[in-house]
Amino acid sequence: ATRDQMQAARNPPGVVIRRAPGNSWSHLTFNGAPGSLLEDPRLRVAIIKAIDRSGIARAMQNGLVTDPVPLNNHIYLQGQEGYQDNSIPYDPAAAARELDELGWRLNGDVREKDGRRLEIRDVMYNDQTWVQVAKIIQQNLSSVGVKLKIETKPGPGFFTDVIRPGNFDVGQWTWVGDPFPLGSIPQIWGYYPDNTQGNYGRIGTPELNDLIEKALSALDPAKARDLANQVDQQI
């Protein structure tokens, strides 16, 4: 084939290729239920700072997109009006300092406090992609003295027997977004102790619930987006 024919085959007339982010997003859910290892929100924030989510995005999407970046909003997907970066930055030095301040001191390779080791169970469906992500996180956290134990589970009963009862310290699965991002806020991020709905980490406050209700009841779309991002910042 001639060069012109090859070029025409790559770019057929009348055909335009467009790219857009998908509407499913992978995430980590921390178990902050009363009595859990990660109940203290300051501990969760410190651990989050030690996880290189940009590195995970590059490892997972290299070659699929030009510049892989993580999703930095819990409410809006990239490309939706209202999306903005509200994420906690990757800062392992700050993570180590904050863990020290919380009393989690290094004892060998793993931190301890009151005789309890900072070993967290990362539970996921037995899939190679999830395991690859977990191994990156495991390496990240080991650098600040947090031990991540990878636990894979079969698909049948994964949510009913493991995630919904809260049998995890960190859980990995996928949520799916839609054109109506505010609709699922109460189900996933609202905190109702007697009905977890989709809030399997059991993390929340009455103040966050009130802010969610304000975002849902706002009639001005711009005001609703602003309130939704305030919700995201609190999450």
Side-chain angles (χ1 to χ4, degrees):
T2 66
R3 184 173 61 184
D4 290 343
Q5 288 172 328
M6 293 175 64
Q7 182 69 23
R10 286 194 297 267
N11 301 284
V15 175
V16 177
I17 298 176
R18 304 180 187 273
R19 287 186 179 183
N23 68 336
S24 64
W25 50 284
S26 304
H27 67 95
L28 307 175
T29 282
F30 286 73
N31 187 346
S36 66
L37 176 62
L38 303 178
E39 177 180 6
D40 186 347
R42 298 170 300 171
L43 176 58
R44 297 196 298 269
V45 169
I47 291 174
I48 288 168
K49 290 181 180 179
I51 299 175
D52 184 5
R53 295 184 311 109
S54 293
I56 293 172
R58 289 192 298 270
M60 295 295 102
Q61 299 182 1
N62 186 37
L64 299 176
V65 294
T66 304
D67 183 22
V69 294
L71 183 67
N72 290 322
N73 196 297
H74 294 88
I75 311 300
Y76 296 101
L77 299 174
Q78 291 177 10
Q80 286 183 323
E81 189 173 8
Y83 179 86
Q84 66 184 45
D85 183 349
N86 295 320
S87 62
I88 295 173
Y90 172 56
D91 190 344
R97 183 174 62 251
E98 291 171 19
L99 290 169
D100 283 337
E101 293 170 354
L102 291 171
W104 289 98
R105 302 287 183 172
L106 274 175
N107 184 1
D109 295 331
V110 181
R111 293 177 180 271
E112 291 185 356
K113 180 180 180 180
D114 299 330
R116 194 175 190 182
R117 287 164 59 88
L118 193 48
E119 296 182 353
I120 59 179
R121 298 167 48 243
D122 185 5
V123 177
M124 72 215 69
Y125 169 66
N126 191 4
D127 176 83
Q128 186 56 41
T129 300
W130 287 118
V131 173
Q132 186 178 354
V133 170
K135 286 182 177 178
I136 296 172
I137 298 170
Q138 187 180 57
Q139 185 176 19
N140 289 161
L141 295 184
S142 68
S143 68
V144 297
V146 180
K147 184 174 182 178
L148 187 79
K149 301 169 68 176
I150 299 172
E151 292 189 12
T152 59
K153 303 292 183 181
F158 179 65
F159 278 94
T160 56
D161 300 338
V162 180
I163 299 302
R164 286 177 185 166
N167 186 15
F168 63 92
D169 295 318
V170 178
Q172 293 183 208
W173 66 87
T174 298
W175 287 121
V176 177
D178 59 39
F180 309 101
L182 302 189
S184 59
I185 296 180
Q187 288 74 31
I188 300 177
W189 311 116
Y191 182 62
Y192 310 98
D194 297 330
N195 182 9
T196 59
Q197 299 187 68
N199 185 353
Y200 302 127
R202 295 163 173 80
I203 296 172
T205 64
E207 292 77 16
L208 177 57
N209 283 359
D210 290 343
L211 189 57
I212 289 172
E213 290 302 318
K214 289 179 181 178
L216 293 176
S217 60
L219 299 180
D220 177 13
K223 181 64 174 177
R225 289 191 294 270
D226 176 66
L227 288 167
N229 273 294
Q230 291 181 44
V231 169
D232 181 54
Q233 290 160 7
Q234 285 202 25
I235 294 169

